Amino acid sequence: MLTDPIADMLTRIRNALAVRHHDVEVPASRLKMAVLRVLKDEGYIEDFEEGHSQAESRSGKSPKRILKVHLKYEGDTSVIRNLRKVSRSGRRVYCSARNLAQIQSGLGISIVSTSRGVMTDRDCRRRSLGGEILCEVW
């Protein structure tokens, strides 16, 4: 059992980028879909789609839900330069809208889980919402 599924998803994406894969599969959840939707809207990934894994488990259970992430490249380099998990299972990081820092002088984004859903740090400042900082992308 995974203790931090968002960190697992980010690690899978980082590993796929390191070997220049164009697609990567991650187990599905609503929070992961929300994070991927933000990454897509901000232009860091091409797209993602929900599906089912091809391999069935040995016990004969139904296939698990997965998210297939289509990574984005500009020539030979990936659009995502770095992914960093901020809030961890042992140390949650919360921040108010006023105290949200800009990432890479505004070139990157923080993905924040708020009471109104998952959004970027810019959206949080505009709506005056704080929340848990999940990760930073640049």
Side-chain angles (χ1 to χ4, degrees):
M1 183 175 147
L2 293 172
T3 57
D4 196 349
I6 298 297
D8 176 64
M9 179 182 73
L10 296 177
T11 299
R12 287 176 189 231
I13 291 173
R14 232 184 341 263
N15 290 342
L17 290 171
V19 293
R20 301 188 196 286
H21 284 292
H22 291 280
D23 300 321
V24 63
E25 292 182 354
V26 296
S29 75
R30 288 189 312 216
L31 181 59
K32 290 178 192 177
M33 285 178 63
V35 169
L36 290 173
R37 192 170 298 113
V38 169
L39 289 175
K40 179 184 174 190
D41 291 345
E42 293 294 316
Y44 287 103
I45 62 173
E46 284 288 333
D47 200 6
F48 68 95
E49 58 191 48
E50 188 175 3
H52 295 283
S53 64
Q54 299 294 347
E56 289 188 29
S57 63
R58 293 181 189 165
S59 61
K61 293 182 182 175
S62 64
K64 303 240 188 256
R65 289 183 335 140
I66 60 164
L67 296 170
K68 188 170 185 179
V69 182
H70 305 287
L71 302 173
K72 188 173 184 179
Y73 291 90
E74 290 177 348
D76 288 341
T77 60
S78 67
V79 173
I80 297 174
R81 304 283 186 247
N82 201 354
L83 288 168
R84 188 172 76 92
K85 182 78 167 115
V86 176
S87 194
R88 301 175 189 277
S89 57
R91 182 177 179 264
R92 302 289 183 194
V93 177
Y94 297 94
C95 199
S96 66
R98 278 182 274 150
N99 295 331
L100 281 170
Q102 288 189 344
I103 308 304
Q104 297 289 312
S105 301
L107 297 177
I109 61 167
S110 288
I111 299 178
V112 183
S113 177
T114 69
S115 59
R116 306 278 175 152
V118 177
M119 60 185 73
T120 65
D121 55 338
R122 278 183 242 117
D123 291 336
C124 287
R125 281 190 216 94
R126 186 172 37 244
R127 296 178 187 188
S128 297
L129 287 172
E132 181 182 357
I133 303 173
L134 298 176
C135 62
E136 296 173 346
V137 184
W138 66 90

